[in-house]
Amino acid sequence: MLSAVVVGTGLIGTSAALALSNRGVNVHLRDLDPLAVRTAASLGSGTGQPPEGVVDLAVVAVPPAMVGRVLRALQDEGVARHYTDVAGVKGGLEQDLGALDCDMRRYIGGHPMAGAERSGPLAARGDLFEGRAWVLTPTAETDTETLNTALELVALCGATPVVMGAAAHDMAVGLVSHMPHLVASLVAMRLTQAEGRAVSLAGPSIRDLTRIAASDPRLWVDILSANAGVVADLLEELAADLDTTIGGLRAMAATDDAKRAHGAEVIEDVLRQGNTGRARIPGKHDGRPVRYAAVSVLIGDQPGEMARLFTDAGRSGVNIEDVRLEHATGRLAGVVYLSVAQESVALVENTLQERGWRLR
């Protein structure tokens, strides 16, 4: 059975330690903050005691700027046979490790594509990585045993391994993670000077779009600084798309019918390409054309209502693919949107209405 040292007991490190401990792995925790270690250990993620000998794998889960120095110190100490990290950017890190003369044969880069707005060990979950991609970026020198050990880590955490080069990884996460985070922050920033009445109208669209803007700014400065060039290039491309979109909207506001028609075509093209891009995001039915629709159910703010709703919806025999809750402003009520296959909407609605639920 694999043995491991997890260095860094924040959200990702503690979640990995929890996942490994739940699978019977002996996990030893290290952190500059003794309280963080005690907190993580109290959750059942491992022990704060040092291992008696060399462990199989050291997982470095510290801020990106610290990974190189920590990894070199661990290798000098001879803590583990193999080493990996969880930093969100890999290209610059590989260069740093080379400059520090780290043993690259026993190192493989890693990046679990999971996280949360909250940080620290108390935000950790043993199932954080279930079904999520976990990128592994072997260097030219990484040996096969190190790769296999990292693959075992990923499997024990319930994630799906994706092996790719460091540069390809950095471009990919810039597109699907780093750039969207900045865009969410820019949109949320527009709310800081908005009138209170305008903000009070916020609904699910703005909430969903700005959710990740609640993350720790200091952590994200570290992440973005390691991938700044890639993200800047992507934002320049986005800026060009925004210019096109603005031009289309200006044309739609013109008095000339031909200009308005052209503007509408531009905006429709933007929206259609958005549909196409959104459809490419993998899901559990990836590769199969499944169309979804939402069943909107009015719900009160009383204990047990969500459980009762799910029980009653389950009586239809239809699988609930996703769920979203929208709170009513200033009222102890809300709307639950149950996402189901489009052809099953009528069956779910009829079942819920028979059980006394009000639909919207």
Side-chain angles (χ1 to χ4, degrees), residues 60 67 84-97 107-112 135-137 164-167 169-170 173 178 226-227:
V60 180
V67 172
T84 189
D85 70 281
V86 296
V89 182
K90 315 312 303 182
L93 176 57
E94 280 192 10
Q95 296 176 8
D96 291 344
L97 296 180
Y107 163 78
I108 183 169
H111 181 203
V135 181
L136 296 174
T137 57
M164 60 197 309
H169 164 272
D170 291 354
V173 296
H178 301 165
N227 205 28

Side-chain angles (χ1 to χ4, degrees), residues 253-266:
T255 57
D256 183 88
D257 289 343
K259 286 184 177 180
R260 294 176 63 181
H262 173 70
E265 290 177 1
V266 170

Side-chain angles (χ1 to χ4, degrees), residues 113 131-133 160 162 175-176 275-288 292 322:
M113 300 300 295
R132 306 302 293 268
T160 301
V162 178
L175 175 64
V176 304
N275 290 163
T276 301
R278 178 67 177 80
R280 294 194 66 193
I281 298 176
K284 74 174 186 177
H285 297 292
D286 189 32
R288 286 183 286 161
Y292 300 110
D322 201 358

Side-chain angles (χ1 to χ4, degrees), residues 1 17 39 58 89 93 100 136 171 194 223 263 282 291 300 332 360:
M1 174 62 70
T39 301
V89 182
L93 176 57
L100 290 167
L136 296 174
M171 178 62 73
I223 293 171
R291 296 179 63 85
L332 297 178
R360 192 179 76 172

Side-chain angles (χ1 to χ4, degrees), residues 131-280:
R132 306 302 293 268
W134 191 310
V135 181
L136 296 174
T137 57
T139 71
E141 302 172 53
T142 301
D143 65 31
T144 302
E145 187 177 354
T146 298
L147 172 60
N148 289 338
T149 303
L151 288 169
E152 185 177 359
L153 163 70
V154 174
L156 288 169
C157 289
T160 301
V162 178
V163 180
M164 60 197 309
H169 164 272
D170 291 354
M171 178 62 73
V173 296
L175 175 64
V176 304
S177 177
H178 301 165
M179 181 182 68
H181 194 100
L182 277 176
V183 171
S185 295
L186 288 168
V187 173
M189 188 173 71
R190 303 305 305 166
L191 301 177
T192 61
Q193 302 298 321
E195 292 184 1
R197 286 188 302 174
V199 178
S200 71
L201 300 179
S205 295
I206 191 71
R207 295 180 191 276
D208 291 348
L209 180 61
T210 60
R211 177 184 59 83
I212 54 177
S215 299
D216 184 353
R218 292 170 299 179
L219 172 63
W220 271 91
V221 167
D222 286 343
I223 293 171
L224 292 168
S225 65
N227 205 28
V230 168
V231 179
D233 289 342
L234 290 167
L235 285 174
E236 282 188 347
E237 294 176 4
L238 180 63
D241 293 336
L242 282 172
D243 285 341
T244 299
T245 305
I246 291 169
L249 291 170
R250 295 294 185 200
M252 288 176 69
T255 57
D256 183 88
D257 289 343
K259 286 184 177 180
R260 294 176 63 181
H262 173 70
E265 290 177 1
V266 170
I267 298 304
E268 182 177 357
D269 183 62
V270 168
L271 296 173
R272 288 190 182 280
Q273 289 195 60
N275 290 163
T276 301
R278 178 67 177 80
R280 294 194 66 193

